[in-house]
Amino acid sequence: EESQGYTDEEYMNVLMNELNKGEQDPYDIYGGEIQYGEEGESFDDLIPKTEEFEQDITEELTTEILEAEVGISDNAILFNSNNKNSYLSNLEMLVNPIVDELGLEYYTVEAFYQANKVANTGDAEKVKQYRKRFAGKKVMDNDKPATNYKGKEITLTGKWARKEGKKLPLRNDWAEVRVSVMREAIKQKFDKNPTLRNELLNTGNKQLVEYITWRTDDLFWGISSVSRKGSNVTGKLLEEYRKVSSNTE
């Protein structure tokens, strides 16, 4: 604590004061719509950095490396759906969609990821019906755009897809294939959207951290704002894509 210039209690007091400025539920987790500080202000300055970024991104991302707990380096780029680096988020709406083997189009990484919780085996038509729920730009209800209580069509956002994905019958091998699914989604996202790809390449060799606010029960994909620890698999996959793409330039 002395070396970092703050105590855990002081850090939590700062964070709580910032959260109390807004009306959002602080438990709206994983890239929810919590705002930090003044409007348009990044929350990065609130985050005490911890350790140096020591992973060699040139080495193959083995399961052991992917799942290893990491901290946040001094020059890390933090991202979620609400800060200036939101283009790195799985919730970013895409101009050019990700396409699966059934030809369905998904406009966020999250939608593609959630749809693939249903394996393309057995009854292909049934699988397609499940996945179609996550495809396209609008939420559909019996092949018609779903509307809210104001009669407005509902956009198929990544946040909506994540919530809806919890209702799916989970494939038996999901724990084994979920990283491959995410890797494919990230590859298509940046391959098909050159503006986003260029932004990613411009990050150089900096650590990329999916910064998860208030969630402490699932730190596989990112790093917690509270403990400042996590496996940060999303960030590592982005770094992997960046390295491969840089070598092909």
Side-chain angles (χ1 to χ4, degrees):
E1 291 179 347
E2 289 179 355
S3 65
Q4 297 186 77
Y6 70 96
T7 66
D8 285 346
E9 182 178 358
E10 290 170 341
Y11 170 76
M12 290 305 299
N13 286 337
V14 170
L15 191 58
M16 287 301 296
N17 286 336
E18 293 300 322
L19 287 171
N20 288 335
K21 292 180 180 179
E23 297 179 354
Q24 294 85 357
D25 179 2
Y27 292 95
D28 187 4
I29 56 179
Y30 191 74
E33 299 181 357
I34 300 172
Q35 299 295 325
Y36 295 79
E38 300 300 326
E39 183 176 357
E41 181 184 10
S42 169
F43 60 74
D44 294 3
D45 291 339
L46 298 176
I47 313 307
K49 304 301 190 297
T50 53
E51 57 194 43
E52 293 299 321
F53 181 43
E54 297 178 347
Q55 180 190 335
D56 181 359
I57 60 175
T58 63
E59 65 182 323
E60 182 182 357
L61 284 181
T62 62
T63 300
E64 182 178 1
I65 292 174
L66 275 172
E67 296 183 358
E69 186 180 79
V70 295
I72 304 175
S73 67
D74 288 338
N75 65 345
I77 294 175
L78 310 182
F79 67 89
N80 66 23
S81 63
N82 291 302
N83 76 346
K84 63 183 179 181
N85 303 312
S86 61
Y87 71 93
L88 295 169
S89 168
N90 293 338
L91 307 187
E92 178 77 0
M93 293 293 292
L94 306 176
V95 174
N96 301 310
I98 300 166
V99 182
D100 70 7
E101 74 279 8
L102 300 176
L104 297 175
E105 298 180 342
Y106 307 90
Y107 284 86
T108 65
V109 166
E110 190 69 35
F112 177 87
Y113 177 81
Q114 296 296 337
N116 275 273
K117 286 182 175 180
V118 180
N120 187 16
T121 57
D123 188 340
E125 188 57 34
K126 185 175 181 180
V127 169
K128 189 169 186 178
Q129 289 304 312
Y130 272 121
R131 289 193 183 180
K132 280 178 67 176
R133 184 75 171 152
F134 300 88
K137 295 181 178 181
K138 300 290 185 180
V139 175
M140 303 298 290
D141 184 11
N142 294 325
D143 295 325
K144 295 181 180 180
T147 58
N148 61 19
Y149 70 97
K150 293 183 178 180
K152 184 178 179 180
E153 293 182 358
I154 302 172
T155 301
L156 204 166
T157 64
K159 188 175 180 180
W160 181 93
R162 185 190 305 124
K163 182 177 180 180
E164 193 69 12
K166 295 177 181 179
K167 304 175 185 178
L168 290 176
L170 195 64
R171 57 195 287 180
N172 293 331
D173 63 345
W174 184 238
E176 289 74 38
V177 303
R178 60 178 177 165
V179 170
S180 296
V181 170
M182 185 65 76
R183 178 181 279 115
E184 172 63 19
I186 287 172
K187 182 179 187 302
Q188 285 202 42
K189 171 182 176 177
F190 291 101
D191 280 354
K192 295 180 177 181
N193 294 276
T195 299
L196 298 182
R197 181 174 180 271
N198 289 337
E199 287 192 68
L200 173 59
L201 294 181
N202 286 338
T203 61
N205 290 322
K206 293 180 179 179
Q207 183 192 23
L208 304 177
V209 174
E210 180 174 29
Y211 193 69
I212 300 178
T213 55
W214 288 98
R215 184 168 187 138
T216 58
D217 60 322
D218 181 6
L219 298 179
F220 181 76
W221 295 109
I223 290 180
S224 166
S225 64
V226 179
S227 69
R228 302 179 295 283
K229 293 287 187 178
S231 295
N232 193 37
V233 172
T234 302
K236 292 172 184 175
L237 291 177
L238 288 168
E239 291 159 11
E240 176 189 63
Y241 176 90
R242 180 181 64 189
K243 182 64 179 179
V244 172
S245 295
S246 296
N247 288 339
T248 60
E249 287 289 293

